Amino acid sequence: MPTDGPTMRAFEAMGTRFECVLADFACALEPSARTAIAEEIERLVLDWHDALSIFDPSSTVSRINASQQPVRVNRDLLELLERCIAYSGATDGAFDITLGAVMAARGFRSDRPATASSGSDTLELDPAASTARLR
């Protein structure tokens, strides 16, 4: 049974470095199985990077932020945005995924447009069309 130590994989996503370490329990697996697990973890993170990263202008969220028109989103992202709106309502706006506009207006993320509009009411979802748009 293999016990040659943990499998490690590092990659960049969402403006940071991710490190995947499959530790002791994984050492019982064959090296090819450990590599496959680490590759799948990287693929999942990179899929969410493609959807969520504000550091990638081609990500879905970046396209929503940059467009005045509705942007098509996949089912997973639509469900995530619906949950975020629900959490915003449940916390009376304390949880706010649209806060980036306020941060830009106050000098954070100076490369972003400096508008001060935020709040879940600025995010318009159309589940039937599977689109999202910032008002």
Side-chain angles (χ1 to χ4, degrees):
M1 198 175 294
T3 59
D4 59 345
T7 296
M8 294 182 257
R9 187 173 193 90
F11 54 94
E12 302 288 323
M14 297 185 216
T16 194
R17 177 183 167 90
F18 280 75
E19 292 186 4
C20 173
V21 180
L22 300 176
D24 297 337
F25 69 89
C27 290
L29 299 173
E30 292 294 327
S32 61
R34 287 183 271 159
T35 299
I37 291 168
E39 287 172 351
E40 179 65 8
I41 291 169
E42 181 179 2
R43 186 194 65 75
L44 289 169
V45 170
L46 292 176
D47 284 351
W48 281 108
H49 166 91
D50 291 344
L52 300 176
S53 182
I54 61 168
F55 302 102
D56 181 350
S58 66
S59 77
T60 306
V61 165
S62 290
R63 288 186 293 114
I64 291 168
N65 288 339
S67 179
Q68 298 297 313
Q69 301 301 314
V71 173
R72 181 169 290 285
V73 298
N74 67 33
R75 173 57 51 197
D76 288 339
L77 182 54
L78 184 65
E79 289 176 5
L80 176 64
L81 294 174
E82 288 171 335
R83 285 183 181 206
C84 290
I85 290 172
Y87 291 141
S88 181
T91 62
D92 292 325
F95 179 84
D96 182 0
I97 62 167
T98 66
L99 194 59
V102 173
M103 292 174 64
R106 297 223 165 92
F108 297 97
R109 295 187 191 155
S110 59
D111 60 329
R112 312 299 293 168
T115 65
S117 179
S118 75
S120 64
D121 59 329
T122 64
L123 182 58
E124 179 181 289
L125 302 180
D126 183 345
S130 196
T131 60
R133 175 178 86 88
L134 282 175
R135 291 188 204 121

